[in-house]
Amino acid sequence: MKTLKCEKLKSAEDAIQWIKNGDRLLVGGFGLCGTPFTLIDTITESDHARELTIISNNLGEAGKGLGKLLISKHIKKAIGSYFTSNRDAVKAWKSGELEIELIPQGTLAEAIRAGGAGIAGFYTKTAVGTKLAEGREEREFDGDRYLFVRGIKANVALIKAEKADTMGNLIYSKTARNFNPMMATAADLVIAEVDEIVEVGTFEAEQIVTPHSYVDIIVLNDRYEKIGGEYIERNR
């Protein structure tokens, strides 16, 4: 596949140099769908960025996606909705090696959207009266109780798109879109992993989900091949 000239294109190794120890990272994906595997693997192989706080729906699966980053001891804290699909995450939390902050899935999505929109926080009924409400600010509106939730922002967002054009406009593949577009609005630096780079003008304006102005760095996926809708790691 021909790689077109793109000023934002960098190698994965160069791109992750922008991630620092202790950074907050927004990482796209739902299960393993829409996960920036190449970027995650490259961080796993590096020693320069540890003590990371990962904000993502889940921590991949055992030995896959963010599950690799957990095993390599790069993650200090995970903020998300669903961690029990990865037995390593449960084990690390039980042993005190991993901090976990649970946020209901819809609340997580709205908190990221709010962060990207410059909204400091919002009130929601979700989790009122549960353990997740303990120690949280509550207010009553029209006779109902609501919890206050801060908007979420991060130092860096690692997102996964299907294609970028040479300016950095992004389109996504079906449900692999998930959290990725909103994460692209809520970080100081956005690194987008894509399967293909195409010429400007290839996309119709209505197809573009993430405009190029949100994207700082593009990395081409050169480690995984999509077979039958699933990404399989190539032999290296």
Side-chain angles (χ1 to χ4, degrees):
M1 184 184 297
K2 180 182 177 183
T3 301
L4 301 173
K5 184 177 180 181
C6 174
E7 292 183 359
K8 295 182 178 181
L9 180 63
K10 295 184 183 297
S11 69
E13 290 76 15
D14 286 343
I16 68 163
Q17 298 305 313
W18 292 90
I19 303 171
K20 307 302 180 187
N21 283 334
D23 272 357
R24 286 166 57 93
L25 268 59
L26 285 159
V27 183
F30 189 104
L32 295 174
C33 181
T35 297
F37 292 112
T38 295
L39 287 167
I40 291 169
D41 286 4
T42 306
I43 298 170
T44 299
E45 295 159 6
S46 169
D47 262 335
H48 85 282
R50 292 185 178 270
E51 299 289 302
L52 300 172
T53 294
I54 300 296
I55 305 161
S56 191
N57 183 63
N58 54 283
L59 288 179
E61 295 178 5
K64 297 180 180 179
L66 285 170
K68 287 187 177 181
L69 205 60
L70 176 64
I71 293 170
S72 62
K73 309 293 186 183
H74 282 75
I75 303 175
K76 177 183 178 182
K77 181 177 180 179
I79 300 173
S81 299
Y82 188 68
F83 298 117
T84 52
S85 61
N86 185 347
R87 62 180 179 271
D88 293 331
V90 177
K91 182 179 178 181
W93 172 74
K94 284 185 174 180
S95 66
E97 297 175 21
L98 176 69
E99 298 176 44
I100 283 180
E101 181 179 339
L102 286 176
I103 302 181
Q105 201 166 81
T107 304
L108 176 65
E110 179 62 9
I112 296 168
R113 189 202 68 81
I119 298 170
F122 59 94
Y123 287 93
T124 177
K125 287 183 178 180
T126 307
V128 169
T130 72
K131 287 190 175 182
L132 295 181
E134 292 178 0
R136 304 277 295 280
E137 178 188 341
E138 271 193 37
R139 284 191 64 181
E140 186 175 304
F141 296 94
D142 300 322
D144 292 321
R145 293 157 59 201
Y146 290 77
L147 289 178
F148 180 71
V149 179
R150 288 291 304 270
I152 289 176
K153 294 205 70 173
N155 304 104
V156 180
L158 306 180
I159 64 172
K160 175 66 173 65
E162 182 180 30
K163 296 179 183 179
D165 67 19
T166 52
M167 286 186 69
N169 296 303
L170 304 180
I171 66 170
Y172 300 86
S173 176
K174 301 177 182 177
T175 57
R177 173 171 171 169
N178 53 67
F179 288 89
N180 285 292
M182 65 187 75
M183 287 182 172
T185 70
D188 299 328
L189 182 85
V190 176
I191 306 174
E193 178 181 327
V194 301
D195 294 334
E196 185 179 355
I197 298 174
V198 299
E199 293 280 11
V200 169
T202 301
F203 306 143
E204 296 291 336
E206 292 81 4
Q207 288 181 285
I208 296 169
V209 178
T210 299
H212 65 89
S213 55
Y214 285 106
V215 180
D216 299 293
I217 297 171
I218 294 173
V219 169
L220 197 57
N221 163 31
D222 60 2
R223 296 190 180 206
Y224 288 79
E225 183 177 1
K226 195 173 184 180
I227 301 174
E230 183 178 354
Y231 284 91
I232 306 298
E233 191 169 2
R234 296 189 180 104
N235 293 326
R236 300 179 67 205

